Amino acid sequence: MIKGFAGFIRLASRPLLIGLLLCSIVHAAHKPAASISAAALVQPAALVAQLRDKSATAPVLLQVGSRALYDQGHIPGSRYAGPAGEPKGLESLHAAVASLAKDTPILIYCGCCPWNRCPNIAAAYDELKARGFGAVKVLYIAQDFGADWIDKGYPTESS
Amino acid sequence: MKAPAHFAFAPCALLAAALLALAAGASAGAASEPPAAPDFTRADLAGTPIKLTEFRGKVVLLNFWATWCAPCLIEMPRFSQWQRAYGTRGLQVLGVSMDDAREPVLRLARQHPPAYPLIMGDAALAKLYGGVYGLPTSFLIDTQGRIVARYRGEADLKGLEAKILSLLPGADR
């Protein structure tokens, strides 16, 4: 009976263990979004207000998630800068900011996954800071771009 | 030329509205008919064409995922387990990668082969399904080809499995 139960536990938990292993590999390679200081965060509602205020200077908006997500819908005026959690994405980010002055206000966002699981946002933030950009802000997307932006009816455009 | 979202998404508005009515993990209410799952044909990683309607008569779990999505990787081994356990009873899992490139998908599939086919997705395919703006996102399609549930974010796997079992041919409802 004990052997049977142990076998059952092994069988039942194997997919979970494999999943956790895969997940840990991904996580190990990515710095969590929680590492970004609260002072750098912008709430979606605040960004919407800023975008609607014609007298305010809009930051350079960069989406640092996947192309498929960007093409479906993104914040008006934002540019696709590539998934910063991957080497090719970082190259794309470098290209996107190559011509910008270091004091340019930049706001990055992703929204591919829940905030604590996002592989891109902290990587992009750290990279921009490391390259000397001093006015980088990050859009705080708690759940994902769908729940925290699209569903709220905030302005969106598609490619 | 970029189109405002409300115009660009208009063709999918009805489907999106119907999907909004499907709370995560909840089946469609008796009062509203579940929307038909839009058909598509895409090649799997081996190049074999996969047409969704060819799975008619089966329960299809359509899972949008990506290699960089940690919650997705939690789900996938369980989906493989279900495919092996329930495939002969009429379950078909289909994975749609939202990665920008095929290479990481091929690499993961080589290292941890799923028990179900994988295809590459894009914005067009996602828009067919009312938009997939976060991962993972899964759609549960019944044997009549209707979307009976949408799961946004990491699914409650226990609840999802129970829902699948209730939909399989021959299940008591």
Side-chain angles (χ1 to χ4, degrees):
Chain A
M1 184 67 183
I2 293 174
K3 185 180 176 185
F5 179 72
F8 168 77
I9 292 296
R10 277 198 300 275
L11 186 66
S13 60
R14 190 174 301 155
L16 180 62
L17 289 174
I18 294 171
L20 290 172
L21 177 64
L22 289 170
C23 183
S24 65
I25 291 170
V26 169
H27 263 304
H30 299 124
K31 194 170 180 182
S35 64
I36 301 170
S37 71
L41 303 183
V42 174
Q43 297 295 325
L47 177 60
V48 171
Q50 187 179 359
L51 293 175
R52 286 178 177 156
D53 181 358
K54 299 302 177 191
S55 65
T57 303
V60 172
L61 292 163
L62 300 175
Q63 193 263 25
V64 296
S66 83
R67 168 67 78 177
L69 297 179
Y70 176 86
D71 285 348
Q72 288 180 73
H74 52 261
I75 299 172
S78 65
R79 286 188 280 156
Y80 169 74
E86 299 174 357
K88 282 188 178 176
L90 278 181
E91 288 175 21
S92 179
L93 178 62
H94 296 163
V97 299
S99 63
L100 300 179
K102 299 298 186 187
D103 60 351
T104 304
I106 297 173
L107 187 141
I108 57 174
Y109 72 98
C110 181
C112 69
C113 314
W115 180 251
N116 288 335
R117 300 285 186 88
C118 180
N120 300 312
I121 200 74
Y125 180 74
D126 288 353
E127 187 66 18
L128 291 174
K129 298 295 278 185
R131 290 194 164 238
F133 289 95
V136 182
K137 295 284 187 180
V138 181
L139 185 63
Y140 176 73
I141 297 180
Q143 184 57 39
D144 58 44
F145 191 68
D148 298 305
W149 193 272
I150 301 275
D151 291 355
K152 293 184 184 300
Y154 292 156
T156 309
E157 63 183 14
S158 62
S159 299
Chain B
M1 179 68 181
K2 293 180 175 179
H6 55 283
F7 293 129
F9 299 156
C12 299
L14 287 176
L15 176 62
L19 291 173
L20 276 174
L22 300 177
S27 61
S32 60
E33 186 72 11
D39 193 22
F40 59 82
T41 302
R42 296 282 170 119
D44 69 9
L45 297 182
T48 306
I50 290 184
K51 185 173 172 59
L52 183 70
T53 50
E54 288 178 356
F55 296 134
R56 188 64 55 86
K58 293 188 173 189
V59 172
V60 177
L61 178 62
L62 186 65
N63 170 237
F64 289 79
W65 69 286
T67 57
W68 38 258
C69 163
C72 303
L73 301 183
I74 293 279
E75 293 182 340
M76 289 179 72
R78 186 57 60 89
F79 293 167
S80 279
Q81 185 192 42
W82 293 348
Q83 182 62 60
R84 284 189 286 268
Y86 309 132
T88 55
R89 292 172 56 186
L91 173 66
Q92 181 60 60
V93 183
L94 180 57
V96 183
S97 168
M98 297 297 273
D99 284 80
D100 283 354
R102 286 169 59 90
E103 288 74 20
V105 184
L106 290 167
R107 192 162 51 244
L108 185 136
R110 271 197 303 271
Q111 292 169 345
H112 304 281
Y116 51 87
L118 300 177
I119 61 176
M120 294 301 296
D122 54 25
L125 183 54
K127 282 181 180 179
L128 264 185
Y129 279 77
V132 175
Y133 302 106
L135 297 175
T137 293
S138 295
F139 297 86
L140 195 53
I141 301 168
D142 70 8
T143 55
Q144 298 175 63
R146 303 176 306 180
I147 300 173
V148 293
R150 178 173 68 165
Y151 299 82
R152 293 171 63 172
E154 191 173 348
D156 162 21
L157 293 175
K158 197 171 178 181
L160 175 54
E161 183 177 21
K163 180 69 179 172
I164 289 170
L165 289 173
S166 75
L167 293 170
L168 288 176
D172 291 331
R173 294 190 181 89

